[in-house]
Amino acid sequence: MTNHVAAATKSAIVQLWICVTCGMIYDPAEGDPDGGIAPGTAFADIPDDWVCPVCGARKADFVPYED
């Protein structure tokens, strides 16, 4: 049961990011494999020249997603 709680806690603290231009949500657990970003890549670790796979907006155009 401890592992289940640890996994749930880890999931709860993963920050999602949303594109202010189109609303695409970047989920670190999924990454952007088509854009060269492996699953498990934190948003901070994405190169600055990465762009939104939906609309082409810059990384700087993403903000933390608040559910």
Coordinates of all heavy atoms in Angstrom, one line a residue:
M1 N 0.8 -1.2 0.0 CA 0.0 0.0 0.0 C 0.9 1.3 0.0 O 0.5 2.2 -0.6 CB -0.9 0.0 1.2 CG -2.0 1.1 1.1 SD -3.2 1.1 2.4 CE -4.2 -0.3 1.9
T2 N 2.0 1.2 0.6 CA 2.9 2.4 0.7 C 3.3 2.8 -0.8 O 3.4 4.0 -1.1 CB 4.2 2.0 1.5 OG1 3.8 1.6 2.8 CG2 5.1 3.3 1.6
N3 N 3.6 1.8 -1.6 CA 4.0 2.2 -3.0 C 2.9 2.9 -3.7 O 3.1 3.8 -4.5 CB 4.4 0.9 -3.8 CG 5.8 0.4 -3.3 OD1 6.5 1.1 -2.7 ND2 6.0 -0.9 -3.6
H4 N 1.7 2.5 -3.5 CA 0.5 3.1 -4.1 C 0.4 4.6 -3.7 O 0.2 5.5 -4.5 CB -0.8 2.4 -3.8 CG -2.0 3.0 -4.3 ND1 -2.3 3.1 -5.7 CD2 -3.0 3.7 -3.7 CE1 -3.4 3.8 -5.9 NE2 -3.9 4.1 -4.7
V5 N 0.6 4.9 -2.4 CA 0.5 6.2 -1.9 C 1.7 7.1 -2.4 O 1.5 8.2 -2.9 CB 0.6 6.2 -0.3 CG1 0.7 7.6 0.2 CG2 -0.6 5.5 0.2
A6 N 2.9 6.5 -2.5 CA 4.0 7.2 -3.1 C 3.8 7.5 -4.5 O 4.1 8.7 -5.0 CB 5.3 6.4 -2.9
A7 N 3.2 6.6 -5.3 CA 2.9 6.9 -6.7 C 1.9 8.0 -6.8 O 2.0 8.8 -7.7 CB 2.5 5.6 -7.4
A8 N 0.9 7.9 -6.0 CA -0.2 8.9 -6.1 C 0.4 10.3 -5.7 O 0.0 11.3 -6.3 CB -1.3 8.6 -5.1
T9 N 1.2 10.4 -4.7 CA 1.9 11.6 -4.3 C 2.7 12.2 -5.5 O 2.7 13.4 -5.8 CB 2.7 11.5 -3.1 OG1 1.9 11.0 -2.0 CG2 3.3 12.8 -2.6
K10 N 3.5 11.3 -6.1 CA 4.4 11.7 -7.2 C 3.5 12.3 -8.3 O 3.8 13.3 -8.9 CB 5.2 10.6 -7.7 CG 6.2 11.0 -8.8 CD 7.0 9.8 -9.2 CE 8.0 10.2 -10.3 NZ 8.7 9.1 -10.9
S11 N 2.4 11.6 -8.7 CA 1.5 12.1 -9.7 C 0.9 13.5 -9.4 O 0.8 14.3 -10.3 CB 0.4 11.1 -10.0 OG 0.9 9.9 -10.4
A12 N 0.6 13.7 -8.1 CA 0.0 14.9 -7.7 C 0.9 16.1 -7.8 O 0.5 17.2 -8.0 CB -0.5 14.8 -6.3
I13 N 2.2 15.9 -7.8 CA 3.1 17.0 -7.8 C 3.7 17.3 -9.2 O 4.5 18.3 -9.4 CB 4.3 16.9 -6.8 CG1 5.1 15.7 -7.1 CG2 3.7 16.9 -5.4 CD1 6.4 15.5 -6.2
V14 N 3.4 16.5 -10.2 CA 3.9 16.7 -11.5 C 3.2 17.9 -12.1 O 1.9 18.0 -12.1 CB 3.7 15.5 -12.4 CG1 4.0 15.8 -13.9 CG2 4.6 14.4 -12.0
Q15 N 3.9 18.9 -12.6 CA 3.3 20.2 -13.1 C 3.0 20.0 -14.6 O 3.9 19.7 -15.4 CB 4.3 21.3 -12.9 CG 3.8 22.7 -13.4 CD 2.5 23.2 -12.7 OE1 2.5 23.4 -11.5 NE2 1.4 23.3 -13.5
L16 N 1.8 20.3 -14.9 CA 1.4 20.3 -16.3 C 1.6 21.8 -16.8 O 1.5 22.7 -16.0 CB 0.0 19.9 -16.5 CG -0.4 18.5 -16.0 CD1 -1.9 18.2 -16.2 CD2 0.4 17.4 -16.7
W17 N 1.8 21.9 -18.1 CA 1.9 23.3 -18.7 C 1.0 23.4 -19.9 O 0.7 22.5 -20.6 CB 3.4 23.4 -19.2 CG 4.4 23.5 -18.1 CD1 4.8 22.4 -17.4 CD2 5.0 24.6 -17.5 NE1 5.7 22.8 -16.4 CE2 5.8 24.2 -16.5 CE3 4.9 26.0 -17.8 CZ2 6.5 25.1 -15.7 CZ3 5.6 26.9 -17.0 CH2 6.5 26.4 -16.0
I18 N 0.4 24.6 -20.0 CA -0.6 24.9 -21.1 C -0.1 26.0 -22.0 O 0.4 27.0 -21.6 CB -2.0 25.2 -20.5 CG1 -3.0 25.2 -21.6 CG2 -1.9 26.4 -19.6 CD1 -4.5 25.2 -21.1
C19 N -0.3 25.8 -23.3 CA 0.0 26.8 -24.3 C -1.1 27.9 -24.3 O -2.2 27.6 -24.4 CB 0.0 26.1 -25.7 SG 0.4 27.3 -27.0
V20 N -0.6 29.1 -24.1 CA -1.6 30.2 -24.0 C -2.2 30.5 -25.3 O -3.2 31.2 -25.4 CB -1.0 31.5 -23.4 CG1 -0.5 31.2 -21.9 CG2 0.2 32.0 -24.2
T21 N -1.6 30.0 -26.4 CA -2.1 30.3 -27.8 C -3.2 29.4 -28.2 O -4.3 29.8 -28.6 CB -0.9 30.2 -28.8 OG1 0.1 31.2 -28.4 CG2 -1.4 30.6 -30.2
C22 N -3.0 28.0 -27.9 CA -4.0 27.1 -28.4 C -4.6 26.2 -27.3 O -5.5 25.5 -27.6 CB -3.4 26.2 -29.5 SG -2.2 25.0 -28.9
G23 N -4.0 26.2 -26.1 CA -4.6 25.4 -25.1 C -4.1 24.0 -25.0 O -4.5 23.2 -24.1
M24 N -3.1 23.6 -25.8 CA -2.4 22.3 -25.7 C -1.8 22.2 -24.3 O -1.1 23.1 -23.8 CB -1.4 22.2 -26.8 CG -0.7 20.8 -26.8 SD 0.8 20.9 -25.8 CE 1.6 19.4 -26.3
I25 N -1.9 21.0 -23.7 CA -1.3 20.8 -22.4 C -0.1 19.9 -22.5 O -0.2 18.8 -23.1 CB -2.4 20.2 -21.4 CG1 -3.5 21.2 -21.2 CG2 -1.7 19.8 -20.1 CD1 -4.6 20.7 -20.3
Y26 N 1.0 20.3 -22.0 CA 2.2 19.5 -22.0 C 2.2 18.7 -20.7 O 2.2 19.3 -19.6 CB 3.5 20.4 -22.1 CG 4.7 19.5 -22.0 CD1 5.2 18.7 -23.0 CD2 5.4 19.4 -20.8 CE1 6.3 17.9 -22.9 CE2 6.5 18.5 -20.6 CZ 6.9 17.8 -21.7 OH 8.0 16.9 -21.6
D27 N 2.3 17.4 -20.8 CA 2.3 16.5 -19.7 C 3.7 15.9 -19.7 O 4.0 15.1 -20.6 CB 1.2 15.5 -19.8 CG 1.2 14.5 -18.6 OD1 2.1 14.5 -17.8 OD2 0.2 13.8 -18.5
P28 N 4.5 16.1 -18.7 CA 5.9 15.6 -18.6 C 5.9 14.0 -18.7 O 6.8 13.4 -19.3 CB 6.4 16.0 -17.3 CG 5.7 17.3 -17.0 CD 4.3 17.0 -17.5
A29 N 4.8 13.4 -18.2 CA 4.8 11.9 -18.3 C 4.7 11.4 -19.7 O 5.2 10.4 -20.1 CB 3.6 11.4 -17.5
E30 N 4.1 12.2 -20.6 CA 3.9 11.9 -22.0 C 5.0 12.4 -22.9 O 5.4 11.8 -23.9 CB 2.6 12.3 -22.5 CG 1.4 11.7 -21.9 CD 0.1 12.2 -22.4 OE1 0.0 12.9 -23.4 OE2 -1.0 11.9 -21.7
G31 N 5.6 13.6 -22.5 CA 6.6 14.2 -23.3 C 6.0 14.7 -24.7 O 4.8 14.9 -24.8
D32 N 6.8 14.8 -25.6 CA 6.4 15.1 -27.0 C 7.3 14.3 -27.9 O 8.3 14.8 -28.6 CB 6.6 16.6 -27.3 CG 6.3 17.0 -28.8 OD1 5.6 16.2 -29.4 OD2 6.8 18.0 -29.2
P33 N 7.1 13.0 -28.0 CA 8.0 12.1 -28.8 C 8.2 12.5 -30.2 O 9.3 12.5 -30.8 CB 7.3 10.7 -28.7 CG 6.5 10.8 -27.4 CD 6.1 12.2 -27.3
D34 N 7.1 13.0 -30.9 CA 7.2 13.5 -32.2 C 8.1 14.7 -32.4 O 8.7 15.0 -33.4 CB 5.8 13.8 -32.8 CG 5.0 12.5 -33.0 OD1 5.6 11.4 -33.1 OD2 3.8 12.7 -33.1
G35 N 8.2 15.5 -31.3 CA 9.1 16.7 -31.2 C 10.4 16.4 -30.6 O 11.2 17.4 -30.4
G36 N 10.7 15.2 -30.4 CA 12.0 14.8 -29.8 C 12.2 14.9 -28.3 O 13.2 14.9 -27.8
I37 N 11.0 15.0 -27.6 CA 11.0 15.1 -26.2 C 10.5 13.8 -25.6 O 9.3 13.4 -25.8 CB 10.1 16.3 -25.7 CG1 10.5 17.6 -26.4 CG2 10.2 16.4 -24.2 CD1 11.9 18.1 -26.2
A38 N 11.4 13.1 -24.9 CA 11.1 11.8 -24.4 C 10.1 11.9 -23.2 O 10.1 12.8 -22.5 CB 12.3 11.1 -23.9
P39 N 9.2 10.8 -23.1 CA 8.3 10.8 -21.9 C 9.2 10.8 -20.7 O 10.3 10.3 -20.6 CB 7.7 9.4 -22.1 CG 7.7 9.1 -23.5 CD 9.0 9.7 -24.0
G40 N 8.6 11.6 -19.7 CA 9.3 11.7 -18.4 C 10.2 13.0 -18.4 O 10.9 13.2 -17.4
T41 N 10.2 13.8 -19.4 CA 11.0 15.0 -19.5 C 10.3 16.2 -18.8 O 9.2 16.5 -19.3 CB 11.3 15.4 -20.9 OG1 12.0 14.3 -21.6 CG2 12.2 16.6 -21.0
A42 N 10.9 16.7 -17.8 CA 10.3 17.9 -17.1 C 10.3 19.1 -18.1 O 11.1 19.2 -18.9 CB 11.1 18.2 -15.9
F43 N 9.3 20.0 -17.9 CA 9.2 21.1 -18.8 C 10.5 22.0 -18.8 O 10.9 22.5 -19.8 CB 8.0 22.0 -18.4 CG 7.7 23.0 -19.4 CD1 7.0 22.7 -20.6 CD2 8.0 24.3 -19.2 CE1 6.7 23.6 -21.6 CE2 7.7 25.3 -20.2 CZ 7.0 25.0 -21.3
A44 N 11.1 22.1 -17.6 CA 12.3 22.9 -17.5 C 13.4 22.3 -18.3 O 14.4 23.0 -18.6 CB 12.7 23.0 -16.0
D45 N 13.4 21.0 -18.5 CA 14.5 20.4 -19.3 C 14.3 20.3 -20.8 O 15.1 19.9 -21.5 CB 14.6 18.9 -18.8 CG 15.1 18.9 -17.3 OD1 15.7 19.8 -16.8 OD2 14.7 17.9 -16.6
I46 N 13.2 20.9 -21.2 CA 12.9 21.0 -22.7 C 13.8 22.1 -23.2 O 13.9 23.2 -22.6 CB 11.5 21.3 -23.0 CG1 10.6 20.1 -22.5 CG2 11.2 21.5 -24.5 CD1 9.1 20.4 -22.6
P47 N 14.4 21.9 -24.4 CA 15.2 23.0 -25.0 C 14.4 24.2 -25.3 O 13.2 24.1 -25.6 CB 15.7 22.4 -26.3 CG 15.6 20.9 -26.1 CD 14.5 20.7 -25.2
D48 N 15.0 25.4 -25.1 CA 14.3 26.7 -25.3 C 13.8 26.8 -26.8 O 12.8 27.6 -27.0 CB 15.2 27.9 -25.0 CG 15.4 27.9 -23.5 OD1 14.6 27.4 -22.7 OD2 16.4 28.6 -23.1
D49 N 14.3 26.1 -27.7 CA 13.9 26.3 -29.1 C 12.7 25.3 -29.5 O 12.2 25.3 -30.6 CB 15.0 26.1 -30.1 CG 15.7 24.7 -30.1 OD1 15.4 23.9 -29.1 OD2 16.5 24.5 -30.9
W50 N 12.2 24.5 -28.5 CA 11.1 23.6 -28.7 C 9.8 24.5 -28.9 O 9.7 25.6 -28.4 CB 10.9 22.8 -27.5 CG 9.7 21.9 -27.5 CD1 9.6 20.7 -28.2 CD2 8.4 22.1 -26.8 NE1 8.3 20.1 -27.9 CE2 7.6 21.0 -27.2 CE3 7.9 23.1 -26.0 CZ2 6.3 20.9 -26.7 CZ3 6.6 23.0 -25.6 CH2 5.8 21.9 -25.9
V51 N 9.0 24.0 -29.8 CA 7.7 24.7 -30.1 C 6.5 23.8 -29.8 O 6.6 22.6 -29.9 CB 7.7 25.3 -31.5 CG1 8.7 26.3 -31.7 CG2 7.8 24.2 -32.5
C52 N 5.4 24.4 -29.6 CA 4.1 23.7 -29.4 C 3.9 22.8 -30.6 O 3.9 23.3 -31.7 CB 3.0 24.7 -29.2 SG 1.4 23.9 -29.0
P53 N 3.6 21.5 -30.4 CA 3.4 20.6 -31.5 C 2.0 20.9 -32.2 O 1.8 20.4 -33.3 CB 3.4 19.2 -30.9 CG 3.1 19.4 -29.5 CD 3.6 20.8 -29.1
V54 N 1.2 21.6 -31.6 CA -0.1 21.9 -32.2 C -0.1 23.2 -33.0 O -0.5 23.2 -34.2 CB -1.3 22.0 -31.1 CG1 -2.6 22.4 -31.7 CG2 -1.4 20.7 -30.4
C55 N 0.4 24.3 -32.4 CA 0.3 25.6 -33.1 C 1.6 26.3 -33.4 O 1.7 27.3 -34.1 CB -0.6 26.6 -32.3 SG 0.2 27.2 -30.8
G56 N 2.7 25.7 -32.9 CA 4.1 26.3 -33.2 C 4.5 27.4 -32.3 O 5.5 28.0 -32.5
A57 N 3.7 27.6 -31.2 CA 4.1 28.7 -30.2 C 5.4 28.3 -29.5 O 5.7 27.2 -29.4 CB 3.0 28.9 -29.2
R58 N 6.1 29.3 -29.1 CA 7.4 29.1 -28.4 C 7.2 28.5 -27.0 O 6.1 28.6 -26.4 CB 8.1 30.5 -28.2 CG 8.4 31.2 -29.5 CD 8.9 32.6 -29.3 NE 7.9 33.3 -28.5 CZ 8.2 34.2 -27.5 NH1 9.4 34.4 -27.1 NH2 7.2 34.8 -26.8
K59 N 8.2 27.9 -26.5 CA 8.2 27.4 -25.1 C 7.8 28.4 -24.1 O 7.1 28.2 -23.2 CB 9.5 26.8 -24.8 CG 9.6 26.2 -23.4 CD 11.0 25.7 -23.0 CE 11.1 25.3 -21.6 NZ 12.4 24.9 -21.2
A60 N 8.2 29.7 -24.4 CA 7.9 30.8 -23.5 C 6.4 31.1 -23.4 O 6.0 31.8 -22.5 CB 8.7 32.0 -23.9
D61 N 5.7 30.6 -24.4 CA 4.2 30.9 -24.4 C 3.4 29.8 -23.6 O 2.2 29.8 -23.7 CB 3.7 30.9 -25.9 CG 4.3 32.1 -26.6 OD1 4.5 33.2 -26.0 OD2 4.6 32.0 -27.8
F62 N 4.1 29.0 -22.9 CA 3.5 28.0 -22.0 C 3.5 28.5 -20.6 O 4.5 29.2 -20.2 CB 4.2 26.7 -22.0 CG 3.8 25.8 -23.2 CD1 4.2 26.2 -24.5 CD2 3.0 24.7 -23.1 CE1 3.9 25.4 -25.6 CE2 2.6 23.9 -24.2 CZ 3.1 24.3 -25.5
V63 N 2.4 28.3 -19.8 CA 2.3 28.7 -18.4 C 1.9 27.5 -17.6 O 1.3 26.6 -18.2 CB 1.3 29.9 -18.2 CG1 1.8 31.1 -18.9 CG2 -0.1 29.5 -18.7
P64 N 2.2 27.5 -16.3 CA 1.8 26.4 -15.5 C 0.3 26.2 -15.6 O -0.5 27.2 -15.5 CB 2.2 26.7 -14.1 CG 3.4 27.7 -14.3 CD 3.0 28.4 -15.6
Y65 N -0.2 25.0 -15.7 CA -1.6 24.6 -15.8 C -2.2 24.5 -14.4 O -1.7 23.7 -13.6 CB -1.8 23.4 -16.6 CG -3.2 22.9 -16.7 CD1 -4.1 23.6 -17.5 CD2 -3.7 21.8 -16.0 CE1 -5.5 23.2 -17.6 CE2 -5.0 21.4 -16.1 CZ -5.9 22.1 -16.9 OH -7.2 21.7 -17.0
E66 N -3.2 25.2 -14.2 CA -3.9 25.1 -12.9 C -5.3 24.4 -13.1 O -6.1 25.0 -13.9 CB -4.1 26.5 -12.3 CG -2.8 27.3 -12.1 CD -1.9 26.7 -11.1 OE1 -2.4 26.0 -10.1 OE2 -0.7 26.8 -11.2
D67 N -5.4 23.3 -12.6 CA -6.7 22.5 -12.8 C -7.8 23.1 -12.0 O -7.7 23.5 -10.9 CB -6.5 21.0 -12.4 CG -7.6 20.2 -12.8 OD1 -8.5 20.6 -13.6 OD2 -7.7 19.0 -12.4

